[in-house]
Amino acid sequence: MIQVVGLWFLVAVALEAAAVFVEQWGASRSPDDEAPKQHRALALLALVLTMLTPGLLLAHGFLATQDADQTVRVIAMGLPIGAVLLGALLGAIVGAGARGAAPLMRKLALPLDVVAFFVTAFAVLGSIQMLIAAGA
């Protein structure tokens, strides 16, 4: 698996799971919870990174496994989806039980999203270059 998609792909998937976990842990559970005091541009950046990072991982999983066995392709494409789902579920569960840490998690979410995005960009660089070369 590592030979097909690369070690950095797996690191990026783990970071994305952690980023989604932290986002869900810090999510507001009720209107009485502290409202996020994030600037709109930062909130938009967090939203874009939250959508773009798993998309890049999924695309890389698809492109890197074109010549691989179908089992490897399913695993490579399922890892980003599973990471997001598992991170969201566990983050929501932990967030419901540990509400006191939610403000800290809100502050930690954007930096972790940025780190996950840059590691993902590094991990999928080969696929991006392949797409650029195919388009030229």
Side-chain angles (χ1 to χ4, degrees), residues 1 4-5 9 54-70 72-80 124 127 130-131:
M1 181 69 151
V4 176
V5 293
F9 173 81
L56 285 172
L57 289 169
L58 192 60
H60 177 70
F62 176 76
L63 292 171
T65 58
Q66 292 223 344
D67 297 330
D69 184 46
Q70 286 297 97
V72 173
R73 176 173 266 187
V74 169
I75 292 171
M77 292 181 67
L79 281 175
V124 304
S127 294
M130 183 176 70
L131 288 175

Side-chain angles (χ1 to χ4, degrees), residues 11-45:
V11 171
V13 167
L15 278 171
E16 180 59 17
V20 172
F21 175 82
V22 168
E23 285 175 6
Q24 288 303 309
W25 186 346
S28 296
R29 304 276 183 257
S30 71
D32 297 334
D33 283 351
E34 178 185 332
K37 295 178 178 133
Q38 208 171 33
H39 190 270
R40 289 183 186 185
L42 293 178
L44 179 63
L45 177 63

Side-chain angles (χ1 to χ4, degrees), residues 22 26 34 38 101-112:
V22 168
E34 178 185 332
Q38 208 171 33
L104 176 64
M105 294 301 124
R106 287 186 197 113
K107 292 177 184 174
L108 183 61
L110 182 60
L112 195 53

